[in-house]
Amino acid sequence: MRRLLFPAVLVLLSACTSQPPQDDSLYRGLGERAGITRIVEGTLLNAVRNPRIAHHFQDIDIERLRDKLVEQICVEAGGPCEYTGDSMEESHKGQHLTRSDFNALVEDLIDAMDAEGVPVRQQNRLLARLAPMRGQIIER
């Protein structure tokens, strides 16, 4: 049975807009930009192999997606990055993603962080930083 982090599903129910953190301890805890890149690449590899959500990754520029996700997680973790992508609403417009789709990607992210040896405390911190985006992504 899959363990829930912080409980991940409950954290992802929030829909407020987050502000990047003031310190970089999470950024450092994720392995800085190189570690975040490995986490994002692992997440995307998991997602394209995940029969629940793989179809959402067809016909997209996966390299651009990787780069924008790295930027976004870097910013959310308090790193020295700038997010240059579209808003979450614009990026997901017309995709009609469900809670199940969103949760599947979160599970893929958790698996990627586990594979990179990211401590559960740091995983929970990142999930809490990303949780407010849920409302900007699903059912758009």
Side-chain angles (χ1 to χ4, degrees):
M1 182 171 170
R2 172 175 286 294
R3 69 184 156 115
L4 290 178
L5 302 175
F6 188 42
V9 174
L10 295 177
V11 170
L12 295 172
L13 295 177
S14 174
C16 61
T17 302
S18 66
Q19 296 296 319
Q22 298 300 312
D23 72 78
D24 69 350
S25 62
L26 177 56
Y27 174 72
R28 289 182 283 112
L30 294 173
E32 300 181 350
R33 191 167 185 111
I36 291 170
T37 299
R38 288 190 305 272
I39 290 166
V40 167
E41 289 175 348
T43 301
L44 292 174
L45 285 171
N46 294 340
V48 300
R49 295 177 185 146
N50 186 335
R52 293 164 50 199
I53 59 173
H55 61 281
H56 290 297
F57 294 89
Q58 295 174 351
D59 303 322
I60 65 164
D61 182 344
I62 199 80
E63 290 180 16
R64 182 179 192 286
L65 176 60
R66 179 200 60 211
D67 294 346
K68 297 308 158 194
L69 286 173
V70 168
E71 287 177 3
Q72 189 169 49
I73 290 175
C74 179
V75 168
E76 290 298 325
C81 305
E82 179 182 345
Y83 177 66
T84 61
D86 295 328
S87 70
M88 290 299 94
E89 291 93 343
E90 187 62 32
S91 296
H92 298 90
K93 186 177 180 179
Q95 293 186 26
H96 308 290
L97 299 173
T98 66
R99 287 184 294 225
S100 178
D101 296 330
F102 187 83
N103 291 342
L105 185 62
V106 170
E107 291 168 13
D108 292 337
L109 171 59
I110 291 167
D111 289 345
M113 290 190 288
D114 283 343
E116 286 298 316
V118 176
V120 171
R121 182 175 182 278
Q122 300 291 14
Q123 292 185 33
N124 288 339
R125 289 179 64 201
L126 178 61
L127 292 172
R129 296 300 313 169
L130 299 175
M133 295 177 194
R134 180 185 179 274
Q136 301 166 9
I137 294 171
I138 65 168
E139 300 171 0
R140 293 285 168 185

